[in-house]
Amino acid sequence: MVRVIGVGDNTVDQYLHLGMMFPGGNAVNVAVLAHRYGHPTSYLGWFGNDVYGHLLLRALEDEGIDISHCRVMDGPNARGEVTVVDGDRVFGPATHGVTTQIDLTPDDLEYIGQHDLMHTSIYSHIERQLPELSQTTPVLAFDFSSDWKRDYLAECLPWVNIALLSYPDREYEAVEDLMRWISAQGPRLVLVTQGKDGATVFDGERFYRQGIVDTEVVDTLGAGDSFAARFLVEYLGGVAIREAMSKAAESAAETCRYYGAFGHGMPIPQ
């Protein structure tokens, strides 16, 4: 088994058209989903002391995630609006709340180092601590989502072992060029998801492509995180890249069949 820790961002996704809200955030989603795929998992982040923070904490406890090093801070939790158009999630306005205050201590770093994989993201506000983290954890995976810029990538990539990002609606040649450039900055593995066009992995020598698995699509939110979580635990567990991608595509399809990244919805407070 692969010991996984998600570090950084958490949020509550508010589906205003449904009147429901769901726990989420890239680092949280990957931690929860990796646990569902059979691996011991922890999460470390900052929560607000409001109904949104409490929703996240309850959900993580119910999922059996180790949250022993998390903090509850005075202030609002991160949350954002989500709508679903033809099954595809569309993000609206968001507030970052106390997640921006994260500041990992030496004790936190020692705790993170007890895991095989640390996963974090562009929304986690811990870029300045990446040099320390890269010395602490055996494998540092960083999800740049679709909000990346080349100068931001260049700043972070030297400290990253596995780079993940979204690059939808691009020609394959452009995707390959980007992945070669990212690989040259340091990561040993690059994973690019492209929505309905599937995903590509580059290990510095070969490109591996994986299409999507057809399924009933209720909500695509969390599908990319499912793909990432499943791929990471399979690959780091010794499964070959092509087989790990196939299993990841099955997991992403499963997540598309329900609202929210991993359920635990409740009505939005009035």
Side-chain angles (χ1 to χ4, degrees):
M1 291 190 290
V2 181
R3 293 167 298 174
V4 179
I5 183 167
V7 178
D9 66 308
N10 64 72
T11 191
V12 170
D13 298 310
Q14 296 179 293
Y15 289 61
L16 300 183
H17 62 295
L18 298 177
M20 296 290 291
M21 59 183 186
F22 298 84
N26 178 270
V28 164
N29 295 342
V30 169
V32 169
L33 293 162
H35 188 262
R36 288 187 177 182
Y37 304 143
H39 298 264
T41 305
S42 309
Y43 171 73
L44 175 53
W46 274 213
F47 297 99
N49 59 350
D50 55 16
V51 65
Y52 308 102
H54 295 152
L55 169 62
L56 279 151
L57 286 165
R58 282 197 304 273
L60 289 166
E61 288 174 342
D62 290 347
E63 290 286 338
I65 308 302
D66 181 355
I67 54 173
S68 59
H69 283 61
C70 290
R71 320 280 209 279
V72 177
M73 311 294 287
D74 286 332
N77 204 91
R79 63 183 188 276
E81 298 178 9
V82 177
T83 56
V84 178
V85 179
D86 296 329
D88 197 14
R89 92 285 186 273
V90 179
F91 293 113
T95 57
H96 298 300
V98 300
T99 58
T100 60
Q101 300 174 23
I102 190 168
D103 186 16
L104 301 170
T105 66
D107 181 59
D108 293 328
L109 296 174
E110 181 180 355
Y111 171 66
I112 290 168
Q114 296 170 13
H115 299 76
D116 301 309
L117 164 69
M118 174 193 141
H119 179 87
T120 189
S121 80
I122 190 173
Y123 308 114
S124 295
H125 306 281
I126 55 174
E127 292 86 353
R128 64 184 176 82
Q129 292 194 274
L130 287 179
E132 290 176 281
L133 288 165
S134 71
Q135 298 299 313
T136 298
T137 181
V139 179
L140 197 164
F142 196 110
D143 194 326
F144 295 93
S145 186
S146 59
D147 292 335
W148 52 269
K149 305 291 184 189
R150 286 241 181 183
D151 56 349
Y152 179 82
L153 292 176
E155 176 186 341
C156 298
L157 287 171
W159 315 110
V160 171
N161 302 114
I162 301 178
L164 307 96
L165 65 156
S166 178
Y167 200 35
D169 303 321
R170 296 289 179 171
E171 297 295 330
Y172 188 45
E173 183 176 334
V175 175
E176 282 192 349
D177 287 345
L178 174 67
M179 296 178 81
R180 286 193 185 92
W181 179 82
I182 290 174
S183 179
Q185 311 307 307
R188 76 185 195 210
L189 206 70
V190 185
L191 166 61
V192 172
T193 54
Q194 297 174 263
K196 60 181 173 53
D197 294 323
T200 304
V201 166
F202 182 53
D203 65 359
E205 295 182 356
R206 292 185 58 189
F207 289 94
Y208 302 82
R209 287 187 54 75
Q210 173 66 50
I212 62 170
V213 172
D214 289 333
T215 188
E216 176 190 6
V217 177
V218 173
D219 175 15
T220 59
L221 191 148
D225 296 342
S226 297
F227 191 100
R230 186 67 185 273
F231 175 80
L232 288 169
V233 294
E234 296 291 346
Y235 170 73
L236 294 174
V239 174
I241 290 176
R242 196 172 297 284
E243 183 180 352
M245 293 180 77
S246 176
K247 291 183 176 181
E250 292 281 355
S251 294
E254 182 180 347
T255 299
C256 289
R257 297 174 192 139
Y258 57 82
Y259 286 108
F262 59 95
H264 295 271
M266 64 175 291
I268 297 173
Q270 298 301 311

